[in-house]
Amino acid sequence: MTARLPDSSLALLREGYTFISARCDEAGTDLIQTRLMLRPVVCIRGAAAAEFFYGGGKFSRTGALPRSVKHLLQDAGSVQTLEGDAHHRRKQLFLDLGSRGSAERLADYFDAEWHDPDHGLPSGRRFNLHIEIRRILTAAACRWAGLPADPPTIRRRSRELGLMIDQAGSFGPVNWYARWRRRSTEKWAANAILAARLASPVKAPATPVEAIAFHRDNTGKELPPDTAAVELLNLLRPVVAVSNFIVFAALALTQHPEWKNKLANGDEDDLHCFAQEVRRYYPFFPFVGGTATADLEWAGHTFKPGDWVLLDLYGTNHDPRTWPNPESFDPARFRTWQPNPNTLIPQGAGDKETGHRCPGEDITVELIKRAIRALADTPALQVPAQDLSFNLSSMPALPKSGFILGPGHAGRR
């Protein structure tokens, strides 16, 4: 059974992350048809939907996102827009850069920046964790990638990369401003690519920026500088986006203090379970889009080539058929969880080796774990009274206060 609805653009803006799942629940189905921005769209949710969407090249990213979103999160020529051999070749570059060993190196830089006495988290005063963590992640990512990490550069790039994340779901002047600022970041990244090519024309790449600069596509050619710059931003921006998960991890520690001592001791299993539950429970990306590449059939619905489809990421992560008591924050559920590429999908589903699933999940999990351990092991940091609520109609969602930390009496409202 499918449900057909009129244009739902205003409802999506009003409801945000719960838009698809609420309508699927109401209709008693995992597939609904509606319009967004007057364009027909099919919305699907659940593990079976994720397997269908990500399996076998059924859906392309071409035409799947509004230009206002695409320019901030992907841009022309990026790995997310490729298919077939071109995608597999470019994806391998990111798989290599997102390997477990590479994730550990980046996390080590993150630890060093966090605890740096001059440029780490502020001491002796209150601060906005979201802003400071973005700065620290930007510095760590630049050092890991082989880019300049002086304070003025980090402040500027942290702001610009943050705008790409914050304004991807917006329209009008704020989105235009973010896209305008992105042009400055792209020019900086292109200059870094050109500098790497001039400095190291022969030797094997030693840093991520060199790996991108000297990467050859499936035709054997180096990427044009502007395309390589886009891919460099596709490496840096997701690292900075982990700041949202880290803020929610801090919120979870505040609201579930029984976990704090366990995590301060650094038990690897507990840290992993807590990080995974943060990724499952809290909002990150609401959904992902694709366009059908052929005639397809699923859940009683026939898809035609070019049909626009949205897969509900948030709703799938809160599906009670997969996750008992999904609206309860319960890291212990991951002690017995059997890994499944189509049930825990905050960063996409399917096989990351062959499909469009994010290749940087190991990096994300490792950074969250390092942050959890550091937060749990720093009793001097207190949570003053503030508004820690978050609104699922905001995409991306965050606590309204941004999460304030600092010395003083603990408390919240």
Side-chain angles (χ1 to χ4, degrees):
M1 174 183 176
T2 66
R4 186 182 297 274
L5 304 170
D7 190 273
S8 302
S9 302
L10 293 178
L12 173 60
L13 293 175
R14 184 173 61 248
E15 299 172 29
Y17 288 85
T18 62
F19 167 76
I20 296 176
S21 57
R23 277 152 184 77
C24 285
D25 287 343
E26 183 178 357
T29 178
D30 286 331
L31 185 152
I32 60 167
Q33 302 174 69
T34 186
R35 289 176 179 269
L36 293 174
M37 298 172 289
L38 304 179
R39 180 183 176 187
V41 62
V42 179
C43 303
I44 59 178
R45 61 101 184 253
E51 183 177 12
F52 168 70
F53 184 86
Y54 274 90
K58 300 181 184 75
F59 293 92
S60 167
R61 298 300 178 264
T62 303
L65 292 175
R67 182 173 176 80
S68 59
V69 178
K70 181 179 177 180
H71 184 60
L72 288 178
L73 293 185
Q74 295 180 2
D75 217 344
S78 71
V79 62
Q80 298 99 324
T81 66
L82 303 177
E83 301 294 340
D85 291 342
H87 175 258
H88 293 155
R89 174 69 176 170
R90 191 84 59 84
K91 182 66 175 285
Q92 189 58 52
L93 167 67
F94 283 89
L95 288 169
D96 293 341
L97 293 174
S99 68
R100 189 164 298 278
S102 189
E104 291 282 348
R105 288 192 294 275
L106 173 55
D108 287 343
Y109 280 119
F110 176 62
D111 269 342
E113 292 291 335
W114 181 297
H115 295 102
D116 185 284
D118 296 319
H119 304 295
L121 283 187
S123 60
R125 65 174 176 85
R126 294 184 178 185
F127 60 89
N128 184 310
L129 180 65
H130 189 233
I131 293 173
E132 297 297 336
I133 285 295
R134 273 194 172 169
R135 176 182 58 79
I136 288 171
L137 283 167
T138 303
C142 285
R143 289 180 61 190
W144 166 69
L147 295 164
D150 56 282
T153 295
I154 296 308
R155 284 194 297 270
R156 179 168 184 173
R157 302 312 164 194
S158 174
R159 171 65 174 158
E160 290 171 350
L161 292 166
L163 282 170
M164 295 177 206
I165 300 160
D166 293 342
Q167 303 305 331
S170 66
F171 300 93
V174 290
N175 182 273
W176 303 337
Y177 175 71
R179 291 160 67 181
W180 176 71
R181 288 290 297 267
R182 179 181 164 118
R183 288 199 288 270
S184 169
T185 325
E186 288 176 342
K187 183 176 180 180
W188 167 77
N191 287 338
I193 294 295
L194 293 173
R197 289 175 176 173
L198 287 172
S200 308
V202 178
K203 70 177 185 178
T207 64
V209 69
E210 290 177 359
I212 294 172
F214 295 105
H215 174 75
R216 294 184 179 273
D217 64 18
N218 59 313
T219 68
K221 297 179 181 178
E222 287 183 350
L223 303 179
D226 57 342
T227 302
V230 165
E231 299 297 33
L232 181 54
L233 297 188
N234 282 336
L235 187 67
L236 300 177
R237 186 190 60 256
V239 174
V240 177
V242 177
S243 61
N244 291 30
F245 276 138
I246 291 174
V247 168
F248 280 123
L251 176 61
L253 283 172
T254 299
Q255 295 180 335
H256 304 276
E258 69 276 11
W259 279 87
K260 195 166 186 178
N261 289 337
K262 296 179 186 179
L263 298 171
N265 294 330
D267 179 85
E268 187 65 22
D269 288 340
D270 284 341
L271 283 168
H272 187 78
C273 290
F274 198 91
Q276 293 289 56
E277 182 68 345
V278 166
R279 295 176 67 232
R280 182 202 71 82
Y281 180 79
Y282 290 104
F284 194 53
F285 286 111
F287 40 72
V288 63
T291 53
T293 59
D295 290 325
L296 304 168
E297 187 88 22
W298 186 78
H301 180 81
T302 299
F303 298 82
K304 297 297 183 182
D307 281 359
W308 186 30
V309 179
L310 295 180
L311 171 66
D312 185 2
L313 301 180
Y314 182 81
T316 301
N317 286 333
H318 289 76
D319 188 340
R321 296 168 297 183
T322 302
W323 308 102
N325 301 314
E327 300 308 321
S328 296
F329 182 85
D330 181 17
R333 74 173 77 238
F334 281 96
R335 289 178 178 150
T336 57
W337 180 65
Q338 297 299 312
N340 183 318
N342 299 309
T343 56
L344 180 65
I345 61 168
Q347 293 168 267
D351 182 4
K352 71 177 182 180
E353 302 287 338
T354 58
H356 282 275
R357 188 185 188 107
C358 175
E361 281 188 280
D362 285 343
I363 286 176
T364 299
V365 173
E366 189 59 35
L367 289 171
I368 296 171
K369 286 161 59 177
R370 298 290 183 103
I372 291 168
R373 181 186 289 120
L375 288 166
D377 196 33
T378 312
L381 288 177
Q382 300 292 331
V383 182
Q386 59 190 287
D387 188 350
L388 293 176
S389 65
F390 56 93
N391 191 338
L392 290 175
S393 67
S394 298
M395 298 180 289
L398 277 173
K400 290 182 179 178
S401 66
F403 206 89
I404 306 301
L405 282 174
H409 298 291
R412 64 181 186 276
R413 63 178 178 88

